[in-house]
Amino acid sequence: MSVPRPNPLLSDRNVDFQLYEVLDTAALCALPAFQEHSRDTFDLLLDSTRRFARDVLAPTYRPMDATPPTFEHGRVRVHPAMRSLYADMVDLGLLTATRPPDVGGQQLPLTVNAASSVYLMAANLSAYGYLGLTLGAAHLLEAFGTPFLREQFMARMYRGEWTGTMALTEPQAGSSLADVKTRATPAPDGTFRLQGSKIFISGGDQDFTDNIVHLTLARIEGAEGGTRGVSLFAVPARRPEGDRFVPNDVQVAGVIHKIGWRGLPSLVLNFGESGDCHGWLVGQPGRGLACMFQMMNEARIMVGLNGVATASVAYQEALAYARERPQGRPTGDRDTARAQTPIIEHADVRRMLLRQKAIVEGGLALLLATSTQADLAHHAPDEAARQRAHLLLDLLTPIAKTFPAEKGFESNALALQIHGGYGYSSEYLPEAWLRDQKLNSIHEGTTGIQGLDLLGRKAVAGGGAALQALDEEVRATTARARAAGVEPAWSDALEDVLQQATALTLELGARGMAGEVEAMLRHSADFLELFSVVAVAWRWLAQAAAAKEALARDAPASTGDAPFYEGKLAAAQYWFAVEVPRVPLLVHLCRTGEDSYSRMHPDGF
Amino acid sequence: MSVPRPNPLLSDRNVDFQLYEVLDTAALCALPAFQEHSRDTFDLLLDSTRRFARDVLAPTYRPMDATPPTFEHGRVRVHPAMRSLYADMVDLGLLTATRPPDVGGQQLPLTVNAASSVYLMAANLSAYGYLGLTLGAAHLLEAFGTPFLREQFMARMYRGEWTGTMALTEPQAGSSLADVKTRATPAPDGTFRLQGSKIFISGGDQDFTDNIVHLTLARIEGAEGGTRGVSLFAVPARRPEGDRFVPNDVQVAGVIHKIGWRGLPSLVLNFGESGDCHGWLVGQPGRGLACMFQMMNEARIMVGLNGVATASVAYQEALAYARERPQGRPTGDRDTARAQTPIIEHADVRRMLLRQKAIVEGGLALLLATSTQADLAHHAPDEAARQRAHLLLDLLTPIAKTFPAEKGFESNALALQIHGGYGYSSEYLPEAWLRDQKLNSIHEGTTGIQGLDLLGRKAVAGGGAALQALDEEVRATTARARAAGVEPAWSDALEDVLQQATALTLELGARGMAGEVEAMLRHSADFLELFSVVAVAWRWLAQAAAAKEALARDAPASTGDAPFYEGKLAAAQYWFAVEVPRVPLLVHLCRTGEDSYSRMHPDGF
């Protein structure tokens, strides 16, 4: 009964607008790292990714959701479609698009890769998941692996012959990585023997490649407690022994029945049940978390993109449904002899659509701006510029991870709501995307952890330098918006709320320095929320500026593009009218340290 | 892997507090209709319901969710547990608890019945659903049926021999009942022949009673278009013919695969495919919607209770999990040699729990206050008091329906979030309750429709008399709170936001009278939202007053009840600190008629 039409996943017009009108992504080609590239090579990637996502990947989403992996005789079988899907993704160069030529990559900007991968995620989050995890594992070995590990493990992952995972979480430790208990005992051959149990290992087994490398946190025998005793190991499912590969004593102990991402198994893995699990140290002993965290921004940006993608595909579905579904009549019209109108004519349906648009497109804009800082952090020509970009990247990452997860979930629920009773049926897809979205507030650091990270570390980083850099970026945007003739009250409001947020950060930082850490961090969730509103307002103002410039420059009314730009201005208006005024309320909660829940006795609930 | 403990579904302590300390439910016994009753008879119902809900009903929830009804050879088979569950619920007197003695009932107050039924809903929403639907159908016949219908159909439903449904929605009409197309042709015997198709008919078939009566909207041949041409019919699945029952040409045409409420089938029903579907007119021709709407408050309050129940059971689960699950350490403590602390010690977990508490207990308080107005609307001794209560009931109903649905969904998502990765697994129950909750913003009038109902009808009803009555109720509460020594700023804030909401309503009403209906209704969603915040603030202030009174009166510190009352004060503080300050922002949106989505061109999305 679902509406038969191809879902575009994302609006191409919007993605191009973000890359080339809001941002000047082509300008990245001036950096030495990207000098081989041009908008043409960017568009080549985008075009092939869009086509593959729509034509090949999207049709596999529903079958993979309906037929999750099975677990029999100790092995996981995933959906049979994965074998060719994975090979196709590898052939498209998606594993190495951003990697340097010395590992076989094209060294495209992360910004462009983010825009292209969001199509893949929107089409089939689980299928992309294998790729994303492999990329993360291979990248860790690229950064910290010995030549042996790079040649034997990394290269095979980048070539698509093996996949990779991140094996961090343990049943008793969850988010508390300081409590990791998996042990690593040095062996005479320089490797280690691992023993322990990991949980929620996504892609921890599959049957479409020959091998899987688990990048695993463990504690070397005798290491100190806490985070500084944790090291990183590469643990293959099958290990090289002479010229062949033998089972490496990694057992699948159970499958978690996830409510979404059902094409990607989440497993309990036992390492070394028979005492024969070999691991190769990656990086320095005791530096496991440091290595892992060096990749953390990347992983969290990927989660943010997952969130945007999942909200986007549902928004596109709801939009098409709202345009097609006749129901009711305009306010005051009771003539049932006339045909019913499409529900997009109803104000409240439009409200729900515009809220989704504001979240989806505001979220994508934030992710792309964050990715640009990642490109600059790696490749800006001078050290000061790289450092500044790194501070901004660090500051924006917890927001870019959380905003699409939290508001995306709300957006996905609105897409379901627009479908009415049909939305509550599993014959329509919005409910599936709603399930998928919920994981994004949990994995790669829960929303609670992102709030602590933003307030306790990132916002106060560099003695205020991070916020100073954000302030400069925002002022560049308000200057552009004012010059373009965007409603001046929006620029004023953005500068005002950023100033409030900055002053608040200094106050809270001082409280922390004075030892009142609990009081400082009490409202970290509200702090994250308010910075999200501000950051997305910044990106909506940039979009409004680009839209105004286009309306003035191109006289697009004649080209039919005016509604697109007017829609951008309406969404920006929505954000400044509905969301930005909430910031002072949230600032007030953080500043006063409103104590309802902190003073609540556990027996009082 | 789920935590093995009995979930209490709701806090008994809280329910008793709501009934007997916040409200004075026992005082209802002064009304002639309830003079046979006392707190003792109320508690009898509550005790038996609680016990049944926990011991019998709750254990069937997971199996019924896992094994939804099947559809074969034209018949629906529901979970086999339903046969005895339904009989048990009938034996407990739940069908007729609130009905008068002349139909076999106990005539208990709706307030008490609401408090008791919320346990059943929290235990197993689907199982209760059959009962709730039957009650609604039987009640319609009690109010509008001929003696024949009361004796033949109603009495059997109240005795639990048959079940009932509401058959309103049609595939092409959804929320637009003016577009109902099912036809009813008069037959010589005084009945009608029905022909048409209905969709989303909950409980539209089952195999645990002999018959089902569908209360069906249809248009009598030749009737006018629109809502005034719609009549109500009783259409049994099997009809009486002489002294036996024969099939009545009602076919199950399909099963909707719902994502929640999976124990209760939602069906497509075809009436009269063979031209032999007999229907009995209920009430006057053309008055079908009027009859239906006379029961609508009741049905919508039931949805509100569903929402509270579903949020409550998940809140209780999250609370128990948070008390048991060790994870991490207090801020600043990095000594991993010490045991991890239960996550309830973390501020952000407490924030999520307190928000759930505020929603669940604030929602229940609102539902019970609304039910009390329903009791008074039916049974207050004088006409003026009944009319006043009816205005209040009408005013509060869209809020009492929507608040638990919308904020309950958020609350359910928080319960899942507290469970971390485990919450994302179907081996834990929070995800199931999250699925269940989502229906409540859709059925019995979507949230969008409730907003239009509140602003377009209920808030402006009686020329301001409804709001006047609410104002009197609120002032009685603020007087009580001030006398009890509750933080005076809360009473001031409540009076202030109610005054703002009232002034706004008058303004918008005037705009409507001036013909600017679109502008009046544009922000009906925000209007509903702000009235929800105000109404729940009213109920939190009442709870704070009762808590303060108890703390002063009983010296409960010595009885161990102090944390309960202190918890009430903390939750009230939370609501006034976090939610109430949002009201002026929402008022501003409604007043200025912020036009981002109304001016949005459909092509601009």
Side-chain angles (χ1 to χ4, degrees):
Chain A
M1 296 198 286
S2 70
V3 182
R5 89 191 94 67
N7 182 315
L9 311 176
L10 282 90
S11 153
D12 290 348
R13 183 67 190 84
N14 178 52
V15 171
D16 293 345
F17 172 73
Q18 302 283 357
L19 289 176
Y20 303 122
E21 296 178 75
V22 181
L23 301 174
D24 183 6
T25 304
L28 288 173
C29 303
L31 300 178
F34 304 128
Q35 63 185 2
E36 305 290 314
H37 287 293
S38 65
R39 177 165 173 175
D40 288 345
T41 61
F42 297 169
D43 286 347
L44 270 179
L45 176 71
L46 282 166
D47 288 345
S48 60
T49 309
R50 284 165 173 162
R51 204 169 324 118
F52 174 73
R54 287 177 186 142
D55 297 348
V56 181
L57 214 44
T60 63
Y61 173 74
R62 193 195 278 261
M64 282 178 63
D65 182 66
T67 314
T70 59
F71 177 48
E72 272 176 65
H73 311 301
R75 280 304 302 269
V76 171
R77 282 180 188 279
V78 304
H79 195 283
M82 268 315 300
R83 184 172 291 270
S84 70
L85 289 181
Y86 197 75
D88 288 347
M89 289 191 285
V90 173
D91 287 349
L92 281 168
L94 301 174
L95 268 170
T96 51
T98 64
R99 308 314 318 136
D102 67 316
V103 299
Q106 285 187 269
Q107 197 152 299
L108 279 156
L110 290 165
T111 309
V112 177
N113 191 60
S116 96
S117 59
V118 76
Y119 283 91
L120 305 169
M121 297 165 177
N124 190 330
L125 208 46
S126 292
Y128 184 80
Y130 295 97
L131 190 102
L133 289 161
T134 302
L135 186 53
H139 197 173
L140 268 174
L141 294 183
E142 182 189 330
F144 304 108
T146 59
F148 170 84
L149 288 175
R150 288 168 56 104
E151 191 182 313
Q152 292 295 316
F153 293 1
M154 177 202 78
R156 286 189 167 101
M157 286 194 276
Y158 276 148
R159 287 199 300 267
E161 296 165 17
W162 296 359
T163 62
T165 78
M166 300 291 182
L168 287 69
T169 308
E170 299 182 2
Q172 84 294 342
S175 298
S176 182
L177 294 176
D179 288 287
V180 156
K181 282 203 164 69
T182 296
R183 277 177 304 133
T185 312
D189 64 358
T191 66
F192 291 78
R193 298 294 167 272
L194 270 78
Q195 207 145 32
S197 189
K198 296 285 178 178
I199 193 168
F200 302 126
I201 308 309
S202 294
D205 194 17
Q206 41 79 3
D207 57 347
F208 60 82
T209 68
D210 293 337
N211 207 356
I212 306 171
V213 183
H214 306 292
L215 274 287
T216 306
L217 292 181
R219 210 176 280 283
I220 296 173
E221 199 100 305
E224 64 183 302
T227 51
R228 279 177 304 186
V230 175
S231 305
L232 181 63
F233 297 87
V235 184
R238 298 167 62 80
R239 68 174 184 262
E241 204 165 277
D243 55 358
R244 61 202 188 105
F245 287 90
V246 300
N248 191 33
D249 196 15
V250 178
Q251 308 295 336
V252 179
V255 175
I256 318 281
H257 296 283
K258 291 203 307 297
I259 60 173
W261 296 64
R262 284 161 55 91
L264 179 69
S266 177
L267 305 176
V268 182
L269 294 184
N270 286 348
F271 294 90
E273 282 183 350
S274 312
D276 190 35
C277 177
H278 296 217
W280 281 257
L281 183 66
V282 180
Q284 298 301 308
R287 300 289 297 160
L289 284 178
C291 294
M292 203 58 106
F293 273 90
Q294 205 152 327
M295 298 295 143
M296 202 47 97
N297 285 332
E298 215 164 287
R300 288 177 173 171
I301 288 172
M302 198 185 287
V303 173
L305 291 169
N306 289 335
V308 167
T310 305
S312 176
V313 64
Y315 166 56
Q316 293 295 336
E317 189 86 358
L319 182 55
Y321 186 82
R323 285 176 172 149
E324 290 164 5
R325 169 72 173 169
Q327 185 90 150
R329 288 174 188 77
T331 310
D333 180 355
R334 297 181 178 210
D335 182 358
T336 53
R338 275 206 285 273
Q340 299 186 75
T341 62
I343 61 173
I344 200 169
E345 298 294 335
H346 300 314
D348 197 56
V349 172
R350 283 232 274 265
R351 175 186 67 81
M352 293 191 276
L353 288 170
L354 189 56
R355 185 158 182 80
Q356 289 174 74
K357 179 186 175 78
I359 291 168
V360 168
E361 298 180 1
L364 180 62
L366 179 62
L367 263 302
L368 294 179
T370 306
S371 298
T372 296
Q373 295 305 324
D375 283 320
L376 296 174
H378 295 307
H379 300 298
D382 65 283
E383 175 61 20
R386 285 195 297 273
Q387 273 190 9
R388 180 179 180 280
H390 217 294
L391 281 170
L392 271 171
L393 170 63
D394 281 351
L395 178 68
L396 293 173
T397 295
I399 304 166
K401 191 270 181 188
T402 304
F403 173 80
E406 294 287 346
K407 295 298 166 186
F409 185 69
E410 188 194 330
S411 183
N412 279 96
L414 290 174
L416 187 156
Q417 181 78 14
I418 284 178
H419 284 75
Y422 297 104
Y424 201 66
S425 154
S426 57
E427 287 156 57
Y428 287 71
L429 284 166
E431 66 85 19
W433 294 314
L434 183 67
R435 288 187 274 114
D436 287 344
Q437 184 69 276
K438 195 76 219 83
L439 187 60
N440 291 323
S441 63
I442 299 170
H443 64 173
E444 298 293 351
T446 63
T447 295
I449 284 173
Q450 303 302 322
L452 293 174
D453 183 50
L454 179 66
L455 174 51
R457 278 193 285 266
K458 303 305 169 54
V460 293
L467 284 177
Q468 175 64 35
L470 180 62
D471 187 67
E472 290 160 13
E473 295 291 322
V474 164
R475 283 181 194 279
T477 303
T478 53
R480 179 181 176 187
R482 287 188 177 106
V486 171
E487 169 60 51
W490 300 351
S491 293
D492 296 348
L494 177 58
E495 288 176 358
D496 175 51
V497 291
L498 179 61
Q499 193 276 325
Q500 289 187 45
T502 304
L504 172 68
T505 308
L506 297 178
E507 271 183 53
L508 293 177
R511 217 171 287 173
M513 298 290 279
E516 299 174 48
V517 178
E518 190 278 331
M520 173 196 180
L521 295 176
R522 189 182 292 161
H523 282 270
S524 51
D526 292 317
F527 186 85
L528 175 56
E529 169 89 1
L530 77 88
F531 258 92
S532 300
V533 173
V534 173
V536 174
W538 166 46
R539 299 325 300 157
W540 270 114
L541 191 70
Q543 291 179 73
K548 271 283 189 190
E549 288 161 5
L551 285 166
R553 184 182 61 232
D554 300 336
S558 57
T559 68
D561 231 5
F564 173 80
Y565 293 120
E566 295 290 351
K568 287 290 179 187
L569 293 172
Q573 175 184 327
Y574 175 86
W575 201 257
F576 279 93
V578 172
E579 291 295 317
V580 172
R582 295 172 53 231
V583 172
L585 305 186
L586 296 165
V587 167
H588 183 76
L589 290 172
C590 296
R591 173 168 290 142
T592 59
E594 194 281 328
D595 68 350
S596 55
Y597 47 83
S598 56
R599 74 185 172 85
M600 184 85 176
H601 190 281
D603 294 342
F605 284 101
Chain B
M1 297 200 285
S2 72
V3 183
R5 89 190 94 67
N7 182 314
L9 312 175
L10 283 89
S11 153
D12 290 349
R13 183 67 191 84
N14 178 53
V15 170
D16 293 345
F17 171 75
Q18 302 283 358
L19 289 176
Y20 303 122
E21 296 179 75
V22 182
L23 301 174
D24 183 5
T25 305
L28 288 173
C29 302
L31 300 177
F34 304 129
Q35 62 185 2
E36 306 289 316
H37 287 293
S38 65
R39 174 162 174 177
D40 288 345
T41 61
F42 297 170
D43 286 346
L44 271 178
L45 177 70
L46 282 166
D47 288 346
S48 61
T49 308
R50 285 166 173 161
R51 203 169 326 118
F52 173 74
R54 287 177 186 142
D55 297 348
V56 181
L57 214 44
T60 62
Y61 173 73
R62 193 196 278 262
M64 283 177 63
D65 181 67
T67 313
T70 59
F71 177 48
E72 272 176 64
H73 310 303
R75 280 304 301 270
V76 171
R77 283 179 188 280
V78 304
H79 195 282
M82 268 316 299
R83 186 172 289 270
S84 71
L85 289 181
Y86 198 74
D88 287 347
M89 288 192 285
V90 173
D91 287 349
L92 281 167
L94 300 176
L95 269 170
T96 51
T98 64
R99 309 314 317 138
D102 67 316
V103 300
Q106 287 188 267
Q107 199 152 301
L108 279 155
L110 290 164
T111 309
V112 177
N113 191 60
S116 95
S117 60
V118 75
Y119 283 91
L120 306 168
M121 295 164 177
N124 188 330
L125 207 48
S126 292
Y128 184 82
Y130 295 97
L131 190 102
L133 289 161
T134 302
L135 186 53
H139 197 174
L140 268 175
L141 294 183
E142 182 190 331
F144 304 108
T146 59
F148 170 83
L149 289 174
R150 287 168 55 104
E151 191 183 310
Q152 291 295 316
F153 294 1
M154 177 202 77
R156 287 188 167 100
M157 285 194 276
Y158 276 149
R159 287 200 300 268
E161 297 164 17
W162 297 357
T163 61
T165 78
M166 300 291 182
L168 287 69
T169 307
E170 299 183 1
Q172 84 292 346
S175 298
S176 182
L177 295 175
D179 288 287
V180 156
K181 284 204 163 69
T182 296
R183 278 176 304 133
T185 312
D189 64 359
T191 65
F192 290 78
R193 299 295 168 269
L194 269 78
Q195 209 145 32
S197 189
K198 296 285 179 180
I199 193 167
F200 303 127
I201 308 309
S202 295
D205 194 18
Q206 40 79 4
D207 57 347
F208 60 83
T209 68
D210 293 337
N211 207 355
I212 306 169
V213 183
H214 306 292
L215 274 288
T216 306
L217 292 181
R219 208 175 282 281
I220 296 174
E221 200 100 305
E224 63 181 302
T227 53
R228 280 176 304 186
V230 175
S231 305
L232 181 64
F233 297 86
V235 184
R238 298 167 63 80
R239 66 174 186 261
E241 203 164 276
D243 55 359
R244 58 198 192 107
F245 288 90
V246 301
N248 191 34
D249 195 15
V250 178
Q251 309 294 338
V252 179
V255 176
I256 317 282
H257 296 283
K258 291 204 306 297
I259 61 172
W261 297 63
R262 284 163 54 92
L264 179 68
S266 178
L267 305 177
V268 182
L269 294 183
N270 286 349
F271 294 90
E273 282 185 350
S274 312
D276 190 35
C277 176
H278 295 216
W280 280 259
L281 183 67
V282 179
Q284 298 301 308
R287 299 288 296 159
L289 284 178
C291 294
M292 204 58 106
F293 272 90
Q294 204 151 324
M295 299 295 143
M296 202 46 97
N297 285 332
E298 217 164 286
R300 288 178 175 171
I301 287 172
M302 197 184 287
V303 173
L305 290 169
N306 290 335
V308 167
T310 305
S312 176
V313 64
Y315 165 57
Q316 293 295 336
E317 190 86 0
L319 182 54
Y321 185 82
R323 285 177 171 146
E324 291 163 5
R325 168 74 174 169
Q327 185 91 151
R329 289 174 187 77
T331 309
D333 180 355
R334 298 185 177 205
D335 182 358
T336 53
R338 275 205 285 274
Q340 301 186 72
T341 62
I343 60 172
I344 200 169
E345 298 294 335
H346 299 314
D348 196 57
V349 172
R350 283 234 274 267
R351 175 186 67 82
M352 292 191 276
L353 287 171
L354 190 56
R355 184 157 182 82
Q356 289 174 74
K357 179 185 174 79
I359 291 168
V360 167
E361 299 181 1
L364 181 62
L366 179 63
L367 264 301
L368 294 179
T370 306
S371 298
T372 296
Q373 294 306 324
D375 283 320
L376 295 173
H378 295 307
H379 300 299
D382 65 282
E383 175 61 22
R386 286 196 295 275
Q387 274 190 8
R388 179 180 181 279
H390 217 295
L391 281 169
L392 271 171
L393 170 62
D394 282 351
L395 178 67
L396 293 173
T397 296
I399 303 166
K401 191 270 180 187
T402 304
F403 173 79
E406 293 288 346
K407 295 296 164 186
F409 184 69
E410 186 193 331
S411 183
N412 279 96
L414 290 174
L416 187 155
Q417 181 79 14
I418 283 177
H419 284 76
Y422 298 105
Y424 201 67
S425 153
S426 57
E427 287 156 58
Y428 287 71
L429 284 166
E431 66 85 17
W433 294 315
L434 183 68
R435 287 187 274 113
D436 287 345
Q437 184 68 276
K438 195 75 221 85
L439 187 60
N440 291 323
S441 63
I442 298 171
H443 64 173
E444 297 295 349
T446 62
T447 295
I449 285 173
Q450 303 301 322
L452 293 173
D453 183 50
L454 179 67
L455 174 52
R457 277 192 286 265
K458 303 306 169 55
V460 294
L467 284 177
Q468 175 64 32
L470 179 62
D471 186 66
E472 290 161 14
E473 295 292 322
V474 165
R475 282 181 193 279
T477 303
T478 52
R480 180 182 175 185
R482 288 188 177 107
V486 171
E487 169 61 50
W490 301 350
S491 293
D492 296 348
L494 176 58
E495 289 175 357
D496 175 51
V497 291
L498 179 62
Q499 193 275 325
Q500 288 188 45
T502 304
L504 172 68
T505 308
L506 297 177
E507 270 183 52
L508 293 177
R511 216 171 289 172
M513 298 290 279
E516 298 172 47
V517 179
E518 189 278 330
M520 172 195 181
L521 295 176
R522 190 182 292 161
H523 282 269
S524 53
D526 292 317
F527 187 84
L528 175 56
E529 168 88 1
L530 77 89
F531 258 91
S532 299
V533 173
V534 173
V536 174
W538 166 45
R539 299 324 300 158
W540 269 115
L541 190 70
Q543 292 179 74
K548 271 282 189 190
E549 288 161 5
L551 285 166
R553 183 182 62 230
D554 301 336
S558 57
T559 69
D561 231 6
F564 173 80
Y565 292 119
E566 295 291 352
K568 287 291 180 185
L569 293 171
Q573 174 184 326
Y574 174 86
W575 200 258
F576 280 93
V578 172
E579 290 295 317
V580 172
R582 294 173 52 233
V583 172
L585 306 186
L586 296 165
V587 167
H588 183 74
L589 290 173
C590 296
R591 173 167 290 141
T592 59
E594 193 281 325
D595 68 350
S596 54
Y597 47 82
S598 58
R599 75 183 171 86
M600 184 85 177
H601 190 283
D603 293 343
F605 284 101

